[in-house]
């Protein structure tokens, strides 16, 4: 079956997450149904990351196997047609060899967590950011966050449901920046534990509010105990921003 | 009655517009009801601009007369409490003298129109921007837009329902900028005709797509005939960005 690499944007609010689940609509199911409507055959789809319910994607990479051969442009436009009115859009499609696997070929993943730092409730950003009332010291957050860079046992920042074999991960980079009321955490790694970015965000907020020092954050990391971490930041502020692959890998 | 100046943000999607209307919920009605719940008396509210159904505001200035005296912080927080769960937020409140009038004291209004320039449908920006598939030449749009600056008869960019006495308005500034796929038109004037920004946007898109030259835009302006203009851009891309007042005017 011809395989296509897809770059997908979605609003996570109506979905139980990327992955198919019994308890509600998933992005994976919607894309697979659109593929089946387009090609007349089951169209299995895999993505670089499995976002949770309510988590968004600006550029999720996936691959889909279609029952017939079509140009990449036709795949993109026809999938978008069949996806309507779900808030899922295929930004780009490219034919790839069947050696390409969106999950297993992936060499890096990046996320962004968006906070609106103000007292007033959110309107246009409801479900799209986390409102933090207290003034956040984003520079203190940025500085403390650098403690997390590198190879660590991230057990303190891991959901109990996490299925990863190991809690040791290597965080490639993390940065905290402010633009007016918007405070954004950007981070990249080969892979992340379940809820890792949301756990890290909740703990960095403790630093930003002045409740924790950078050393407190270090102690939480070293405790390897998620009950020591700050709260899990709400899903709606999290965005899967992109997946990377070896240059030109498996592209036809 | 004590008067308070409010700066209000709202998501225009669920509303018939700022102004009270028979046919559905308005932002004005929601704010007045919150004021009544807070102060136990009718709380008439006026705004700097009357946005249409589906049009958003980042910083609409309004004034509200309350039945009792409260601190500005209490007004802001209590209005936000009573506004829940409507997507309306009071960003700031300040007590002002009764000489202050959000509409009649206003010395300038600014709007932003947001377009996403890409082929794929919108997901996270559904109802928050206008998708334009064809490649927009934002520099050509910016250059042509400068023709509109200054005092003109804007009859070509005016809704038939416009209630303004005169179609002559002075556009203070207009700019078109691109940030990735996002193309934004920003403009400011003492006041605007009904649908003026959306009419100007629709016509500038004709320029951006290469269908019109700057001279075509000039001819449309000079025709003083709205049937000559481009389409009225959809409401969801438009944001009321701010109102200005004489420095310190009527502030208590």
């Amino acid at each position: 079956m011809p395989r296509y690499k897809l770059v997908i944007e979605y609003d996570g609010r109506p979905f139980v997450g990327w992955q198919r689940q019994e308890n509600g609509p998933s992005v994976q199911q919607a894309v697979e149904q659109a593929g089946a409507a387009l090609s007349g055959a089951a169209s299995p789809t895999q993505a670089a990351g499995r976002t949770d319910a309510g988590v968004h994607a600006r550029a999720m990479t996936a691959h889909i196997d279609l029952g017939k051969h079509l140009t990449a442009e036709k795949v993109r436009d026809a999938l978008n047609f069949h996806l309507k009115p779900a808030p899922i859009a295929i930004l780009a499609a490219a034919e790839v060899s069947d050696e390409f696997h969106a999950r297993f070929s992936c060499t890096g993943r990046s996320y962004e967590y968006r906070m609106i730092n103000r007292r007033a409730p959110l309107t246009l950003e409801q479900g799209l950011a986390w409102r933090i009332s207290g003034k956040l010291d984003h520079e203190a957050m940025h500085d403390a966050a650098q403690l997390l860079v590198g190879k660590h046992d991230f057990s303190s920042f891991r959901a109990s449901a996490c299925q990863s074999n190991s809690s040791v991960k290597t965080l490639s980079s993390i940065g905290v920046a402010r633009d007016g009321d918007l405070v954004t955490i950007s981070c990249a790694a080969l892979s992340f534990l379940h809820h890792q970015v949301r756990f890290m965000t909740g703990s960095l907020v403790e630093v930003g509010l002045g409740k924790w020092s950078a050393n407190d954050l270090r102690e939480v990391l070293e405790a390897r105990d998620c009950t020591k971490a700050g709260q899990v930041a709400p899903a709606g502020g999290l965005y899967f921003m992109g997946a990377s692959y070896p240059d030109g890998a498996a592209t036809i």
Side-chain angles (χ1 to χ4, degrees), chain A residues 110-131:
Chain A
S110 64
Y111 282 92
E112 209 173 89
Y113 196 95
R114 293 166 79 86
M115 289 158 278
I116 308 277
N117 191 200
R118 71 181 197 191
R119 189 165 176 85
L122 301 184
T123 70
L124 292 153
E125 280 85 12
Q126 262 179 31
L128 300 174
W130 184 18
R131 178 185 61 122

Side-chain angles (χ1 to χ4, degrees), chain A residues 22-34:
Chain A
E22 295 295 322
N23 61 331
S26 63
V27 181
Q28 184 182 33
Q29 175 186 23
V31 175
E32 289 181 343
Q33 284 175 349

Side-chain angles (χ1 to χ4, degrees), chain A residues 130 136 141 200-213 229-231:
Chain A
W130 184 18
L136 288 174
M141 293 168 75
M200 293 193 302
T201 297
S203 294
L204 287 172
V205 163
E206 298 293 316
V207 174
L209 294 172
K211 295 179 182 171
W212 289 11
S213 67
Q231 68 172 292

Side-chain angles (χ1 to χ4, degrees), chain A residues 82 181 247:
Chain A
H82 289 292
D181 283 348
D247 199 24

Side-chain angles (χ1 to χ4, degrees), chain A residues 212-227:
Chain A
W212 289 11
S213 67
N215 202 50
D216 292 333
L217 182 70
R218 187 197 309 270
E219 286 178 6
V220 167
L221 174 65
E222 290 173 354
R224 303 180 193 181
D225 173 0
C226 76
T227 67

Side-chain angles (χ1 to χ4, degrees), chain A residues 5-20:
Chain A
K5 174 180 167 180
L6 306 175
V7 179
I8 309 174
E9 179 188 272
Y10 52 85
D11 180 340
R13 284 176 284 191
F15 302 107
V16 294
W18 165 266
Q19 198 161 29
R20 270 182 186 271

